[in-house]
Amino acid sequence: MSLRNISRMPRILVYILVAVAALYLLLCVALFVFQRALIYFPQPSAIATPDTVLKLSVADADLQVSIRPHNGPKALIYFGGNAEDVSRNLPDFSQAFPDQAIYLMHYRGFGGSTGSPSEEAIARDALDLFDRVYAEHPQVAVVGRSLGTGVAIRLASQRPATRLILITPYNSVLEIAARQYQMFPVKWLLKDTFDSGQYAAHISVPTLLIAAEHDDVIPRSSTVRLYGQFIQGVATMKVIAGAGHNSISESPDYLKLIGSGL
């Protein structure tokens, strides 16, 4: 639109257009500044006794890891969702997987861990935890749920995990965010993209993807797209019938399927 045309428009309309543009830019700035508050929802730890907590000090934070110690070669490391208290898994996991030492990592800001969560910080913390566990247990299975699948797959592409299990996984958080906030240039705003698809081709250990039939958070197309990124023969995909994104762990098949992948 030329300046001449603009000058012919009623002044009030020009003011409205300027106000709308300013509001849109303000919303973009707010989305950029507060985006991590829309991704991470820190939860306190419900189970925290001296024999169920491992304190892991890293460069710039002190992490809390809910644990069930067990002597032997096998261990399981679990990364939870963006609003999950991972300690609540401890009783069921301990009973279902008696031969595994269990390590459930509380992200920064979650469950007594210090610091603020971000994709890169969590990825570094995951490496530190794996190295600590691997020093005592040479067979480490890595499990992630929802947001944690992005942490798990990246870790498994960088460390010698023996198994990888992804529960309600996605191909990319960027894809999901762009779908939810279609009116904003999410590609240019999002810091933590959790691009799981780029790591899938580097995975060589047996991998199990577990999807919920009625997942209203992670589109099935995103899970299928991720599944297609793995080298043929590396990954298998199972769907838990009748389950939703948040109710999947209530299914009687949930722990059975995780156990089948260990």
Side-chain angles (χ1 to χ4, degrees), residues 21-39 181 184-186 188-191:
L23 178 60
Y24 179 78
L25 289 175
L26 182 62
L27 290 173
C28 286
V29 170
L31 188 61
F32 178 78
V33 172
F34 298 108
Q35 60 181 276
R36 286 182 174 137
L38 300 174
I39 297 175
Y181 300 95
F184 296 105
V186 173
W188 308 108
L189 298 175
L190 191 63
K191 299 175 184 178

Side-chain angles (χ1 to χ4, degrees), residues 72-211:
K74 296 181 179 181
L76 179 156
I77 299 178
Y78 176 85
F79 303 101
N82 68 333
E84 182 178 354
D85 169 17
V86 295
S87 74
R88 293 185 179 275
N89 295 289
L90 203 55
D92 289 342
F93 278 24
S94 297
Q95 183 176 1
F97 316 125
D99 296 329
Q100 310 273 343
I102 297 170
Y103 298 83
L104 316 173
M105 191 177 86
H106 296 267
Y107 303 136
R108 294 173 180 229
F110 288 65
S113 294
T114 64
S116 300
S118 71
E119 179 181 3
E120 293 304 316
I122 293 173
R124 292 193 302 271
D125 296 342
L127 291 172
D128 287 337
L129 176 58
F130 184 95
D131 292 342
R132 170 71 178 269
V133 174
Y134 188 66
E136 299 179 9
H137 307 280
Q139 300 176 31
V140 183
V142 176
V143 182
R145 177 176 177 178
S146 193
L147 182 77
T149 61
V151 183
I153 193 172
R154 180 170 176 173
L155 173 62
S157 73
Q158 298 173 305
R159 290 293 190 270
T162 55
R163 294 286 190 276
L164 175 62
I165 300 174
L166 305 174
I167 304 158
T168 60
Y170 48 83
N171 189 58
S172 166
V173 164
L174 175 59
E175 292 178 359
I176 297 172
R179 178 180 176 179
Q180 293 179 343
Y181 300 95
Q182 295 183 20
M183 66 177 293
F184 296 105
V186 173
K187 179 179 180 180
W188 308 108
L189 298 175
L190 191 63
K191 299 175 184 178
D192 297 352
T193 61
F194 287 95
D195 188 2
S196 297
Q198 70 169 311
Y199 300 107
H202 303 286
I203 302 296
S204 58
V205 299
T207 299
L208 173 63
L209 284 71
I210 303 175

Side-chain angles (χ1 to χ4, degrees), residues 5 13 17 26 50-51 60 63 65 74 118 126 151 155 160 163 167 169 200 207 227 239 255:
N5 290 334
L13 182 57
L17 290 175
L26 182 62
D51 60 335
D60 56 348
L63 305 179
V65 185
K74 296 181 179 181
S118 71
V151 183
L155 173 62
R163 294 286 190 276
I167 304 158
T207 299
Y227 177 59
V239 178
L255 293 175

